[in-house]
Amino acid sequence: MANDSTLFVSVGNSATAPHQRPFSCTISPVVLFGVLDHYLRHDDKQDKVIGALLGVRSPDGTEVEIRNSFSVIYTEDAQISLDKEHYTNMHDLHQRVNPEEQILGWYTTGPNLTPSSAPLHTVFSQDTGHFRPIHVTFDTEQLLKSDDMGIQAYTSAPVGFSTKPGDCLYLPVPCEIKYVDAERSGLDMLASAKSSETRSASLLSDMDHLEVAIGKLQEMLQRISEYVDSVVAGNEKPNNAIGRYIMDTVSVVPKVDSASFEKMFNSHLQDLLMVVYLANMTRTQLSVAERLNLLVSN
Amino acid sequence: MAASLPTSEPLHTVQLDGLVVLKIIKHCRESYPNDVTGQLLGLDETGTLEVTNCFPFPSDCDENASAQYQLDMMRCLRAVNVDNNTVGWYRSAHLGNFVDSNLIDTQYSYQKSLSAHSAVIIHDVSKSAAQGNLSLRAFRLTDAFMKQYSKKFTTESLAKAKLSFSTIFEELPIQVHNSHLVTLMLHNIEMPKLDASRLKSPATFSQHTELDDAKSLSPNFDVLDLELDPFMQKNLEYLLDCSDVQQQELNNYQYWQRSVAREQTKMQAWLTKRRQENQIRAEKGQQPLPEDEVNTLFKLPPEPSRLDNMILTAQMHNFTKQLNQFAGPSLARLYSIQELQK
């Protein structure tokens, strides 16, 4: 899901050379969950949490992938100051497990950018090397009130005459959520828990999973055929784009000559059944051995 | 580490937080094809093991370094209010080849030192990717096995304790639990943002980028893939390897049995000779020679431990079960394709 913010590009200033600024960033779902979990566990005295973002960046610095995160503690007197020791400890520990993830920036769950974020930005920019750190805000209020995710990512561009990285202009960066196949199955399962009362779901066996997927497919086909029927009957205005999409989808089903299909089907079936037979034979063998072992008395 | 408290209720489910599931998946996936481990943190409620957080172990450290790492990590996490209680560990696996002595040793030490309620969670990376269904299983060693582990594993002791490969582990059902905020977020991700009237007709079939952007949690149809061969092939290979090793172990056992038989016959022969000598001596009126020297002269070789055997059979059982479980949905898929063609 792409965030709807646009990217402002500032021209001219050599310190904001494009190679130093990320243009797009992708977030992995682990980070989202981690941040929300951290927010849930925060002390009541502080109403926002701060943490660091880890990940990889492309060699030229324009693509950034945020893969992991950890939380840092801070104290708020006149200014916000981080617990440096805790931060370096966590960073080292994470580095040992995953040496290729570097610090990319930091996150906070406050609603918007505040002036207090400037010194923190300085701190984190020391660790990001030549590149500008990324700052991501998770707005939990927005999450509650609207349909939006409430995630905003920013990178910085220096403004004014000072050379401190903290004094900067925050440029919004489009960020989207990306996941891989294995994570996708985990996320699906978690998402299935969202509609239940107790917010929990149990793991499905393979057969159940197949059943659910086929059920969904059937439901989708049903909806499409109802739509087509109502368009044909003149009840609904036809939408050319949707019609094209449907036509494309339906034409993907391969039309195979029935004799060769029979042959393919049968050979596939035979392979499968033979493997099942061998597996079952091994199993019975093991069970018999087990019983015999129990009967042996020396 | 907490001392083991008397447990009131036996453990019957494991409840994972959404965060834990994703972190385990991420760590195991990134270290493919190596096997990696990590620690689980959480609470031990009545009958349910709640896991609220986890962290991975670095793969290249030895005993002391990993203990140090664990302490450091726990200290840091406690500072941010994460549950500081270790409840178990997790491990990655590929196509079910996780039952080995390493697993049993580690799980035994966890259950002994922490509490009887620690569990190991196995995440199967290749199975999850192949079928689109998350493979996560929780195990703990049964009490009977724990008692037996400290003693030797001979055939008769196993028979007396009624232990066999299927009673080594007990599997616990897993449930996944989300917090409210996370549930909100999941709802928000799924909101479709497409407006039908603004759709443009696709010129070619591949121009579906706008639709792809709109749906991020659309249903996962990877499970409808027809391809069987890689999965079955790998599974069969593992099974064959396992049965080879099993064959060697059985040969060892038989060799031992034969050597015991030989020793026994030798002992018998010696005993009869002794008795004859004693008879002759008794006729002559001399002291009979002792007969229990037989035990010191002939030593029976010790029985090899049956533990490896049991582990191997458990592993083979696992593989065959997997094949079976895989076959079910595959048959369903095949037949549905047949229907579609008609």
Side-chain angles (χ1 to χ4, degrees):
Chain A
M1 182 202 84
N3 210 343
D4 276 338
S5 48
T6 53
L7 175 67
F8 302 102
V9 181
S10 75
V11 287
N13 201 341
S14 62
T16 67
H19 69 85
Q20 288 188 343
R21 247 181 311 123
F23 279 153
S24 72
C25 74
T26 60
I27 298 191
S28 142
V30 182
V31 174
L32 298 175
F33 275 72
V35 169
L36 287 178
D37 180 71
H38 181 211
Y39 178 69
L40 276 178
R41 291 167 183 282
H42 70 119
D43 282 334
D44 292 324
K45 317 190 277 296
Q46 306 168 328
D47 56 353
K48 64 176 183 159
V49 290
I50 300 186
L53 295 168
L54 302 162
V56 296
R57 64 173 84 234
S58 67
D60 57 355
T62 52
E63 298 273 326
V64 159
E65 198 179 315
I66 304 182
R67 285 203 198 145
N68 207 348
S69 64
F70 61 82
S71 43
V72 301
I73 10 188
Y74 68 99
T75 49
E76 183 156 2
D77 310 318
Q79 257 197 356
I80 296 189
S81 57
L82 289 182
D83 187 347
K84 280 299 268 182
E85 190 193 329
H86 179 252
Y87 169 64
T88 34
N89 272 343
M90 287 288 259
H91 184 34
D92 284 334
L93 292 173
H94 279 265
Q95 198 75 346
R96 276 172 71 179
V97 181
N98 229 332
E100 52 191 33
E101 285 183 356
Q102 346 155 353
I103 300 252
L104 289 178
W106 59 298
Y107 67 83
T108 169
T109 57
N112 276 318
L113 303 168
T114 59
S116 53
S117 33
L120 292 167
H121 211 66
T122 324
V123 168
F124 283 101
S125 67
Q126 290 162 355
D127 280 318
T128 56
H130 309 295
F131 301 96
R132 303 266 161 208
I134 302 203
H135 175 50
V136 180
T137 58
F138 292 88
D139 192 353
T140 46
E141 298 297 312
Q142 209 182 353
L143 197 66
L144 289 170
K145 292 178 194 143
S146 74
D147 282 346
D148 199 11
M149 291 290 299
I151 304 179
Q152 296 268 352
Y154 302 95
T155 182
S156 62
V159 122
F161 296 110
S162 76
T163 46
K164 273 202 306 201
D167 296 334
C168 55
L169 176 67
Y170 287 102
L171 308 174
V173 171
C175 87
E176 48 180 40
I177 306 177
K178 249 206 196 138
Y179 27 73
V180 207
D181 282 338
E183 275 177 3
R184 175 67 181 281
S185 47
L187 208 57
D188 277 341
M189 201 211 18
L190 295 176
S192 66
K194 69 181 193 299
S195 349
S196 85
E197 270 286 313
T198 53
R199 293 168 284 121
S200 61
S202 35
L203 292 176
L204 296 173
S205 74
D206 289 341
M207 206 57 169
D208 292 335
H209 196 237
L210 184 69
E211 188 182 336
V212 163
I214 293 191
K216 281 195 198 142
L217 191 62
Q218 271 188 327
E219 185 200 354
M220 281 165 58
L221 288 175
Q222 180 80 359
R223 269 170 38 197
I224 293 185
S225 74
E226 276 174 7
Y227 174 74
V228 169
D229 284 341
S230 68
V231 166
V232 163
N235 295 339
E236 237 182 87
K237 211 161 48 89
N239 188 335
N240 282 336
I242 296 191
R244 280 274 185 86
Y245 276 120
I246 297 180
M247 195 175 74
D248 283 339
T249 317
V250 170
S251 61
V252 169
V253 177
K255 191 83 179 72
V256 184
D257 164 43
S258 74
S260 57
F261 178 76
E262 278 291 313
K263 230 168 40 154
M264 280 197 296
F265 178 74
N266 281 335
S267 63
H268 220 178
L269 192 63
Q270 274 176 350
D271 288 341
L272 196 58
L273 288 177
M274 187 174 74
V275 169
V276 168
Y277 170 72
L278 286 175
N280 278 332
M281 206 164 66
T282 324
R283 271 180 85 181
T284 29
Q285 180 86 319
L286 293 175
S287 309
V288 168
E290 177 189 357
R291 301 274 181 275
L292 283 178
N293 268 335
L294 287 180
L295 286 177
V296 160
S297 57
N298 231 349
Chain B
M1 302 295 153
S4 49
L5 300 164
T7 51
S8 46
E9 216 180 282
L11 199 56
H12 58 79
T13 61
V14 173
Q15 191 184 56
L16 298 179
D17 224 27
L19 175 65
V20 173
V21 171
L22 283 182
K23 272 176 121 169
I24 294 181
I25 295 178
K26 168 180 183 291
H27 182 222
C28 297
R29 185 178 51 82
E30 276 173 358
S31 330
Y32 188 83
N34 301 328
D35 281 339
V36 288
T37 58
Q39 186 97 304
L40 299 170
L41 307 165
L43 300 164
D44 181 7
E45 295 282 309
T46 54
T48 308
L49 195 68
E50 279 188 35
V51 183
T52 49
N53 213 331
C54 67
F55 60 86
F57 278 139
S59 45
D60 52 348
C61 60
D62 54 345
E63 278 296 317
N64 298 331
S66 76
Q68 186 59 33
Y69 179 86
Q70 207 170 329
L71 287 173
D72 286 339
M73 193 52 131
M74 304 269 270
R75 202 165 9 107
C76 287
L77 287 177
R78 182 176 33 204
V80 284
N81 283 340
V82 176
D83 291 329
N84 208 14
N85 192 19
T86 311
V87 294
W89 59 298
Y90 67 85
R91 195 188 139 150
S92 70
H94 301 286
L95 286 186
N97 64 341
F98 53 87
V99 184
D100 57 6
S101 47
N102 201 4
L103 179 79
I104 297 196
D105 287 337
T106 325
Q107 179 62 8
Y108 180 75
S109 58
Y110 265 87
Q111 274 187 231
K112 202 89 180 100
S113 54
L114 283 183
S115 77
H117 279 188
S118 46
V120 54
I121 295 197
I122 310 265
H123 174 246
D124 199 327
V125 181
S126 1
K127 242 205 300 184
S128 305
Q131 295 225 345
N133 187 22
L134 181 63
S135 155
L136 215 56
R137 301 168 77 180
F139 293 104
R140 55 183 288 270
L141 296 174
T142 51
D143 296 331
F145 186 78
M146 296 271 295
K147 272 191 276 213
Q148 190 64 30
Y149 191 78
S150 39
K151 310 184 215 141
K152 291 172 72 73
F153 280 97
T154 61
T155 320
E156 51 180 297
S157 63
L158 288 181
K160 259 196 291 225
K162 294 221 182 331
L163 269 186
S164 73
F165 69 86
S166 54
T167 52
I168 301 183
F169 286 113
E170 63 171 309
E171 182 162 357
L172 301 165
I174 294 188
Q175 279 212 331
V176 171
H177 180 261
N178 285 328
S179 61
H180 287 289
L181 265 183
V182 166
T183 316
L184 259 184
M185 187 187 73
L186 288 171
H187 274 289
N188 275 344
I189 294 189
E190 270 216 357
M191 282 294 160
K193 283 180 157 51
L194 208 51
D195 194 357
S197 52
R198 287 189 308 124
L199 269 188
K200 306 186 285 292
S201 293
T204 68
F205 186 49
S206 46
Q207 268 182 3
H208 279 176
T209 45
E210 203 176 279
L211 277 188
D212 282 341
D213 286 342
K215 50 174 171 60
S216 47
L217 273 192
S218 67
N220 183 10
F221 288 128
D222 286 345
V223 69
L224 297 176
D225 258 349
L226 273 189
E227 206 179 286
L228 313 167
D229 298 333
F231 183 79
M232 285 211 299
Q233 199 179 345
K234 265 267 118 114
N235 223 339
L236 285 174
E237 271 177 23
Y238 282 141
L239 190 57
L240 285 176
D241 287 338
C242 223
S243 36
D244 280 340
V245 181
Q246 173 82 320
Q247 190 65 18
Q248 284 175 351
E249 290 286 327
L250 286 176
N251 278 341
N252 261 348
Y253 186 66
Q254 279 182 338
Y255 181 74
W256 172 80
Q257 273 188 326
R258 279 198 293 264
S259 61
V260 164
R262 271 203 304 265
E263 287 291 311
Q264 295 241 342
T265 49
K266 274 199 260 182
M267 276 169 70
Q268 279 304 107
W270 189 89
L271 260 179
T272 45
K273 224 175 56 168
R274 251 303 151 84
R275 290 211 184 95
Q276 280 177 349
E277 279 183 18
N278 278 342
Q279 261 187 337
I280 301 176
R281 289 178 88 137
E283 283 168 15
K284 285 198 199 159
Q286 284 173 341
Q287 278 269 328
L289 291 169
E291 282 182 7
D292 42 324
E293 274 181 17
V294 67
N295 289 333
T296 50
L297 281 179
F298 294 97
K299 279 216 166 38
L300 284 177
E303 180 169 354
S305 160
R306 307 284 286 161
L307 181 61
D308 289 330
N309 239 334
M310 269 189 10
I311 297 178
L312 284 170
T313 32
Q315 178 78 304
M316 284 170 69
H317 181 80
N318 209 14
F319 283 139
T320 51
K321 202 162 91 155
Q322 257 175 228
L323 279 178
N324 259 345
Q325 280 176 340
F326 180 72
S330 307
L331 279 175
R333 281 193 283 261
L334 272 184
Y335 276 105
S336 49
I337 286 295
Q338 195 185 36
E339 288 304 312
L340 208 56
Q341 281 288 340
K342 288 195 189 138

